[in-house]
Amino acid sequence: MVVVGAGMAGVQTAVALREQGYAGPVTLLGAEPHPPYDRPPLSKAVLLGTAEGSAFDVDFDALGVELRLGVAVTGVRPADHLVDTDAGPVPYATLVLATGAEPLALPGTRDHPAVHLLRTLDDATRLRPVLDDRRTVVVVGAGWIGAEFATAAREAGCHVTVVEAADRPLAGALPAEAAEPMAAWYAEHGVALLTGVAVSRVEDHGVRLADGRLLPADAVVVGIGARPATRFLAGSGVALDAHGAVLADAWLRASVPDVYAVGDCASFPSARFGQRLLVHHWDNALQGPRTVAASLTGAEPEAYDPVPYFWSEQFGRFVQYAGHHGAEDRLVHRGDPGEAAWSLCWVAPGGGLRAVLAVGRPRDLAQGRKLIASGAVMSLGLVADPVVPLKSAIA
């Protein structure tokens, strides 16, 4: 058994295999030289110096897992059952792809010394002096990573401007009714938010916008999205979707024999939501490996069809989202978005709860996630009443 990728999905695959009784050899390949670590703390604790790292508390020797670090995968040859790496080929009987996603770079800035991405431990380490010195920072992209970094930078005392090409934060993830209230959080915390304007280029002393303005900057942090880290699969015969994700089936099997894919690098069909999903979040990387391990240990796992979940800590708020919503779903407010705690619910035309966004209302999230999983039909009037527990809003 060879697992490619030593992030959450890869580590959890190795752990789940042992927990479910797999006794054969397991090799875990990681491209980074660091012991496997968790990524969520990178955008706050590691940046602010309150944690030196976030290594997983896993004893690989005790698990009988061969951990090979600093080994970059360059290709896969399914017909030969070989993984090509910069340290030579590695044979496999079964291969699990868990390579995660890679951040998108701003065109023309990949080698610019003042431009930073935030995905790895090394990225966070390089950014710490920026926060320590309270420098002037421009963040490109008002998505989840941009907001979390801006929060940490302001907490450290930096002067922060966030530039977003769309007309609001989180435009690719949430509708205007959900995202517009969040725009006010930036100003509340002393962060300048510029929307509806694109970046033209990064210059020696700042960021030039498409409208001609120059924003002074000692450092530029780019958070404009990510793509599955699957470039090494070119020519392998492993089918990818339009985003570059491995096209996995309902049991997370790839299109070629003896290859599986989990986490950010894979999309999977969801019967629950009636479409294929590509979920770039921690919880997906935690759950998927259990399905793979069950398949590989002779069990008969259920089809992988979770209720997606993620969270974000930004500007003093704890934001949680569960489910998946579409344009046809009805948006129902629970509480005033101008207040500290509120939720939004998306209800399908047939009355089933499809998604919940909770700001400071963790019970709504927990109850809503169970309701989505159960397919319960909801009463719109009760859903809209923030005093009524969501679990009691069933029609």
Side-chain angles (χ1 to χ4, degrees):
M1 185 77 62
V2 175
V3 182
V4 176
M8 169 63 79
V11 168
Q12 287 301 316
T13 297
V15 171
L17 284 166
R18 292 306 190 216
E19 287 180 344
Q20 296 187 35
Y22 181 79
V26 177
T27 300
L28 180 61
L29 305 178
E32 295 182 57
H34 310 290
Y37 58 88
D38 205 5
R39 295 188 188 275
L42 299 183
S43 61
K44 186 162 187 180
V46 176
L47 272 179
L48 293 173
T50 57
E52 290 303 315
S54 51
F56 292 116
D57 185 17
V58 176
D59 188 334
F60 293 99
D61 289 336
L63 281 177
V65 172
E66 180 188 3
L67 179 62
R68 296 182 60 185
L69 300 175
V71 177
V73 174
T74 58
V76 174
R77 289 180 274 165
D80 301 320
H81 279 62
L82 289 174
V83 176
D84 290 316
T85 79
D86 56 4
V90 178
Y92 68 84
T94 303
L95 176 65
V96 181
L97 302 172
T99 48
E102 56 189 7
L104 298 175
L106 203 60
T109 64
R110 188 171 293 276
D111 297 321
H112 197 295
V115 177
H116 302 263
L117 300 171
L118 182 52
R119 181 70 180 181
T120 68
L121 181 58
D122 288 339
D123 291 337
T125 300
R126 283 191 291 268
L127 273 166
R128 275 177 58 173
V130 173
L131 274 63
D132 291 343
D133 296 343
R134 300 182 178 181
R135 298 179 189 174
T136 298
V137 182
V138 171
V139 180
V140 182
W144 302 112
I145 289 294
E148 291 177 4
F149 176 80
T151 299
R154 279 301 298 150
E155 188 173 331
C158 295
H159 181 277
V160 183
T161 300
V162 177
V163 180
E164 171 56 55
D167 62 354
R168 62 184 185 273
L170 296 166
L174 298 174
E177 297 93 334
E180 285 176 356
M182 299 178 178
W185 301 352
Y186 289 76
E188 288 175 11
H189 286 76
V191 175
L193 173 63
L194 305 180
T195 59
V197 60
V199 169
S200 175
R201 62 186 178 274
V202 177
E203 300 182 355
D204 289 341
H205 302 292
V207 174
R208 182 71 64 180
L209 302 182
D211 61 11
R213 283 179 289 174
L214 178 67
L215 302 179
D218 300 313
V220 180
V221 177
V222 179
I224 56 175
R227 56 152 287 149
T230 56
R231 296 174 198 248
F232 68 95
L233 291 173
S236 69
V238 176
L240 306 178
D241 67 14
H243 302 283
V246 177
L247 279 165
D249 68 8
W251 292 270
L252 301 180
R253 297 174 298 199
S255 62
V256 298
D258 303 320
V259 178
Y260 291 73
V262 291
D264 292 4
C265 73
S267 67
F268 57 90
S270 171
R272 188 191 312 280
F273 297 105
Q275 65 186 97
R276 180 169 285 275
L277 299 182
L278 174 58
V279 181
H280 282 183
H281 295 295
W282 186 92
D283 190 66
N284 179 49
L286 177 66
Q287 294 195 60
R290 298 167 186 161
T291 295
V292 171
S295 296
L296 297 177
T297 53
E300 295 183 5
E302 295 182 0
Y304 184 63
D305 197 4
V307 176
Y309 165 73
F310 70 89
W311 78 95
S312 176
E313 294 181 81
Q314 53 183 269
F315 305 118
R317 274 88 168 179
F318 187 45
V319 183
Q320 297 173 283
Y321 177 94
H324 179 78
H325 67 272
E328 72 281 2
D329 298 323
R330 181 170 179 175
L331 180 61
V332 182
H333 290 259
R334 283 175 61 82
D336 182 357
E339 301 295 329
W342 50 276
S343 296
L344 297 176
C345 295
W346 285 265
V347 180
L353 187 63
R354 304 293 276 176
V356 178
L357 174 73
V359 178
R361 289 180 65 101
R363 288 185 181 177
D364 278 1
L365 190 289
Q367 294 174 16
R369 193 177 185 185
K370 293 178 180 178
L371 291 166
I372 296 167
S374 71
V377 175
M378 310 301 292
S379 164
L380 292 178
L382 294 176
V383 170
D385 187 344
V387 176
V388 175
L390 204 52
K391 66 181 180 180
S392 300
I394 297 175

